[in-house]
Amino acid sequence: MRRAAGCAALLICTATPSAAQLSVTHLLSAQAGERLYLQPRDRVAVYSQLTAAYRQDAWSVGVRHEMERTSDDSPLEGRSAAYDAVTQRWAEWREEASLLRVGHFETILGNGLVHRSFELPGVIYDESGTRTRYAASRDVDGVLAETAAGPLAVRAFAGAPTDGTVSPASEAQGALRRAGVLQGGQAELRMPRTLRAGLTFTRFSFGDAPDLHLGSAFAAADLAAATGLAGVAVPATFEYAQRGAGFGDGFSLRRGDDTPHAMYASLGVLWRAWSLVAELKDYRGFRLGTNDPPAAVREHSWGLLNRNTHLLDAEGEEGVLVELSGPLGPW
């Protein structure tokens, strides 16, 4: 009996609590009204998005189900907007500075010149062809791995990407929602005084077409912290990306119309409630569907300053943004 009691006491002292969490979110949107020049004129559509995730300690799993039902569902005419599909599923292990995720994921390399996959929570896309709605997500279905050791941080992934323009309804009718294989990675060196520098690369393969190789180099720092200046922050970043036959082509900072490239730079001065920010963009031949370069356009909520939302065209766009903001007194 003494041995049994001692063993029980040892188990109680060394046991650690296991944290578990189950989260379920549901987005439901219904539309009803009349349409001009279309038959049937009256239309009702109901969209449902259900996401469930379970996390315990370092592990988590999740799944998303999307569905739409409409009053004019007509599969015989080949224009049905109805669908019922699992659009995301994933399993993830995360501990300290390491991560491994299998399934659907979003990530970014550098400032997004080479790759950025993302999701807009609560936003619903509307596909014009099938008039169907689906989640605003541009993810990758594959494997994502991240780790850091000392000043070095590494990220790598591979999978099938989507540009977010094809709905599950169109996929059910034969359209390609995911095409090809995208591989990418980033190595970043984090130095003292907020200095960071790194390299990124991606390779996209699709059928018999030549592989598409992209690479970029970036650097970022708070210049005030790097020089020991107190009371002010001067964040700065720069990245240049180029498209070529192979990652070993190197970088020559060429910016002509005959060289597919993307360059982004920003510099800010932050002092108390005042800020001065300048951004520069130069994009040529970089509308890839799986990247998202910074727009460098101030999108105001006030109609007199900017009524239209800017749509970036990375196929050919240059610009400079300078913005000064500060307080207007106690009132």
Side-chain angles (χ1 to χ4, degrees):
M1 293 298 296
R2 290 182 180 178
R3 291 182 179 179
C7 180
L10 177 61
L11 290 175
I12 293 175
C13 292
T14 58
T16 57
S18 178
Q21 179 180 3
L22 174 65
S23 62
V24 179
T25 60
H26 185 226
L27 175 62
L28 183 66
S29 174
Q31 294 179 340
E34 295 183 350
R35 302 174 300 172
L36 295 176
Y37 315 118
L38 294 174
Q39 295 296 329
R41 188 179 181 89
D42 297 325
R43 187 175 190 263
V44 178
V46 178
Y47 169 78
S48 171
Q49 179 190 128
L50 179 65
T51 304
Y54 177 77
R55 177 178 296 275
Q56 183 171 4
D57 299 329
W59 294 91
S60 66
V61 294
V63 64
R64 168 176 293 168
H65 177 270
E66 292 183 69
M67 177 183 67
E68 182 162 39
R69 290 291 182 268
T70 65
S71 60
D72 65 342
D73 289 344
S74 182
L76 296 179
E77 298 179 13
R79 60 179 180 85
S80 174
Y83 68 90
D84 188 334
V86 173
T87 55
Q88 283 192 357
R89 72 281 180 275
W90 68 90
E92 179 180 296
W93 172 81
R94 181 191 298 266
E95 188 168 335
E96 295 182 354
S98 298
L99 176 145
L100 178 64
R101 183 175 176 118
V102 179
H104 296 86
F105 61 87
E106 300 90 31
T107 188
I108 185 173
L109 301 179
N111 293 288
L113 303 186
V114 168
H115 174 78
R116 178 176 178 248
S117 46
F118 60 89
E119 179 176 326
L120 304 177
V123 177
I124 303 174
Y125 281 158
D126 193 333
E127 189 181 57
S128 58
T130 59
R131 303 192 301 277
T132 185
R133 293 174 293 170
Y134 58 102
S137 176
R138 200 171 77 180
D139 55 28
V140 180
D141 185 9
V143 180
L144 169 68
E146 300 179 2
T147 190
L152 181 64
V154 179
R155 178 179 304 154
F157 67 88
T162 175
D163 61 1
T165 61
V166 179
S167 75
S170 295
E171 183 180 29
Q173 297 173 13
L176 285 178
R177 189 161 182 254
R178 298 184 185 274
V181 176
L182 180 67
Q183 304 173 60
Q186 170 180 301
E188 181 180 3
L189 188 61
R190 301 169 180 173
M191 294 165 281
R193 294 184 178 270
T194 73
L195 296 175
R196 297 186 300 113
L199 299 173
T200 76
F201 78 94
T202 61
R203 181 177 68 180
F204 179 73
S205 304
F206 180 70
D208 297 331
D211 291 351
L212 175 63
H213 293 258
L214 304 174
S216 79
F218 66 90
D222 184 338
L223 301 183
T227 57
L229 185 61
V232 63
V234 187
T237 185
F238 175 84
E239 183 174 6
Y240 175 83
Q242 189 171 305
R243 188 172 73 191
F247 182 71
D249 292 345
F251 303 102
S252 57
L253 295 181
R254 291 179 295 176
R255 298 172 53 192
D257 293 344
D258 58 341
T259 301
H261 67 276
M263 186 178 71
Y264 172 75
S266 70
L267 177 65
V269 180
L270 312 177
W271 177 73
R272 295 184 179 178
W274 290 88
S275 67
L276 174 63
V277 180
E279 291 181 280
L280 168 69
K281 63 178 176 181
D282 180 7
Y283 308 141
R284 179 68 60 180
F286 250 68
R287 187 172 60 190
L288 309 172
T290 57
N291 64 335
D292 186 34
V297 170
R298 184 69 166 93
E299 297 181 2
H300 295 276
S301 59
W302 310 288
L304 292 179
L305 294 179
N306 183 7
R307 191 175 183 85
N308 297 319
T309 299
H310 177 73
L311 298 177
L312 174 69
D313 183 6
E315 195 64 23
E317 187 164 306
E318 301 178 15
V320 177
L321 169 68
V322 179
E323 180 177 275
L324 173 66
S325 63
L328 295 177
W331 56 273

